[in-house]
Amino acid sequence: MNLHYRTIAVIVMALSFSICSAYAEGPSKADLAKAAQNPIANMISLPLQNNINTGIGPDNETQNILNIQPVYPFSLNDDWNVITRTILPVISQPGALTGDGRKNGLGDLNFTAFFSPAAAAAAFTWGIGPTFVLPTASDDALGSDKWSGGIAAVGLAMPGNWVVGSLVSNIWSIGGSGKNDVNLFTWQYFINYNLPNGWYLTSAPIYG
């Protein structure tokens, strides 16, 4: 189990670059592209993010994580929105020991509810709320076997062609059968530059 947590530490510090495209029609294409990059946009969406991490396990193999991230917002009242974001990882990774087969399946589900001002200022948007991790992993090697909860906050600005922001969270285990308690701080900043026709470049390293 300790080896598993050391592996996770390598994964969350990986720096990833990607080129993405937002598909839309008409003159609002650029605005929709920016909204797709905003984790607390008041818009229903189903982002899919695939991460490939190298140097994993005792034989320095490759791990693949496909994050399915449905976002569903709703209005709490005239002043506040609640933006719910769920992340369900589909994981394929090498075993913890040499000779072990690959582990394939679901990881732990992460649910976050951001409370965000309904009339957010154009220059800066923010949200804060509870975050929970459910032990949904299909294999012990793919999750913590712990129920966890904590707090998450995000803030971003969208000047010109840029979308720049930061997301922080901390979760603590509150139950479950896993041997190791969870106390995980995660920080991610993202810098996106929008190109014509809805395409954009993004850099979003995660530290934790």
Side-chain angles (χ1 to χ4, degrees):
M1 185 63 72
N2 289 335
L3 178 60
H4 170 63
Y5 277 94
R6 288 197 293 270
T7 301
I8 289 294
V10 173
I11 295 166
V12 297
M13 292 180 66
L15 175 64
S16 62
F17 289 89
S18 61
I19 301 177
C20 305
S21 176
Y23 296 96
E25 297 295 335
S28 61
K29 184 181 294 185
D31 291 338
L32 287 175
K34 278 191 170 184
Q37 300 158 47
N38 179 356
I40 50 173
N42 189 18
M43 179 179 72
I44 297 173
S45 61
L46 181 59
L48 301 175
Q49 181 187 66
N50 195 77
N51 300 308
I52 299 174
N53 303 297
T54 59
I56 304 300
D59 298 321
N60 294 321
E61 297 180 79
T62 300
Q63 179 201 51
N64 192 85
I65 303 176
L66 171 64
N67 286 324
I68 304 171
Q69 305 178 122
V71 176
Y72 188 85
F74 62 91
S75 176
L76 190 63
N77 52 43
D78 291 340
D79 298 320
W80 293 93
N81 291 328
V82 177
I83 315 297
T84 67
R85 185 177 72 161
T86 304
I87 302 176
L88 180 63
V90 181
I91 305 172
S92 176
Q93 69 181 31
L97 301 175
T98 299
D100 285 354
R102 293 188 67 84
K103 302 295 184 180
N104 303 296
L106 299 177
D108 289 342
L109 183 145
N110 177 216
F111 173 83
T112 305
F114 290 106
F115 291 79
S116 181
F124 183 77
T125 304
W126 62 274
I128 189 170
T131 183
F132 302 96
V133 176
L134 285 62
T136 57
S138 57
D139 188 286
D140 287 347
L142 303 178
S144 65
D145 280 335
K146 287 285 190 179
W147 296 82
S148 302
I151 190 168
V154 62
L156 69 146
M158 295 187 287
N161 291 334
W162 296 90
V163 177
V164 181
S166 182
L167 189 152
V168 296
S169 67
N170 203 106
I171 59 169
W172 299 267
S173 54
I174 54 179
S177 59
K179 295 181 180 179
N180 295 309
D181 290 334
V182 176
N183 182 0
L184 178 63
F185 173 80
T186 302
W187 171 49
Q188 178 184 30
Y189 68 83
F190 47 93
I191 302 174
N192 301 348
Y193 183 77
N194 285 269
L195 303 170
N197 299 316
W199 289 84
Y200 59 93
L201 303 175
T202 179
S203 174
I206 302 174
Y207 302 91

